Amino acid sequence: MANKLKSLSGIWVIVLALGVALGGYFIGDGIYRAMSGRTVTVKGLAERDVVADTAVWNIKINGVGGDLTILQNEIDNDIAEIHSFLTDAGFNESEIQNLRVQVRDKYAGYSDAELKSQNNDGRYVIDTGVMVRSDNVALVDSVSRKMGELVRRGITVTEDYSGPTYIF
């Protein structure tokens, strides 16, 4: 009888071990199947250097003054000077566009009495500029490095000047 008990306990151990093994397999297989629907397989990798075929270059300027008409005339002269600088460098007029004009009144919202006490020399600020869009990337690159010439001509390039952007 003791012998039979030992053989029965051996069988129960084998059955229990087989149950744990099959349970682990089925749980692992279920997790694998659940995750396999949420994966992406990517094959291959390619990198190469590409030369830009278009350049966009914004030259932004601004002016400050008390008389809006005089200030706009100064800005118009600066824009004409930038156009001259760019066409002398080899750009076509079709590659040059004026940017929109933005006018800020520093004293907007002041009452008439407050305005009389203010010095209006720097009341208005005009922000504008010129955009160059050209397929001649090498020309844009070389001319953009000569911005000092515009400064020598008395044109104030604004602090948000970031240089050309190259597109391919």
Side-chain angles (χ1 to χ4, degrees), residues 120-140:
N120 287 335
D121 288 346
R123 177 177 180 174
Y124 299 106
V125 179
I126 295 181
D127 294 305
T128 188
V130 172
M131 179 183 72
V132 177
R133 183 178 182 93
S134 176
D135 296 334
N136 192 341
V137 176
L139 181 61
V140 171

Side-chain angles (χ1 to χ4, degrees), residues 114-125:
E114 290 173 317
L115 284 176
K116 289 179 183 176
S117 67
Q118 298 292 330
N119 178 1
N120 287 335
D121 288 346
R123 177 177 180 174
Y124 299 106
V125 179

Side-chain angles (χ1 to χ4, degrees), residues 23-94:
Y25 169 78
F26 287 122
I27 290 172
D29 186 54
I31 291 172
Y32 174 76
R33 287 180 187 213
M35 297 302 282
S36 67
R38 293 187 230 161
T39 60
V40 176
T41 304
V42 177
K43 296 180 182 179
L45 173 67
E47 289 185 16
R48 65 179 176 160
D49 290 330
V50 178
V51 177
D53 57 3
T54 304
V56 178
W57 179 25
N58 289 324
I59 304 170
K60 296 182 180 179
I61 64 170
N62 66 11
V64 179
D67 185 318
L68 198 53
T69 306
I70 294 171
L71 181 58
Q72 182 60 51
N73 288 333
E74 291 172 0
I75 291 291
D76 290 342
N77 290 337
D78 287 351
I79 293 292
E81 193 67 35
I82 293 172
H83 275 264
S84 173
F85 169 75
L86 293 171
T87 54
D88 290 348
F91 292 105
N92 296 326
E93 279 293 331
S94 63

Side-chain angles (χ1 to χ4, degrees), residues 55 57 91 136-146 164 166:
W57 179 25
F91 292 105
N136 192 341
V137 176
L139 181 61
V140 171
D141 187 52
S142 69
V143 175
S144 69
R145 297 174 195 276
K146 299 176 183 174
Y166 300 99

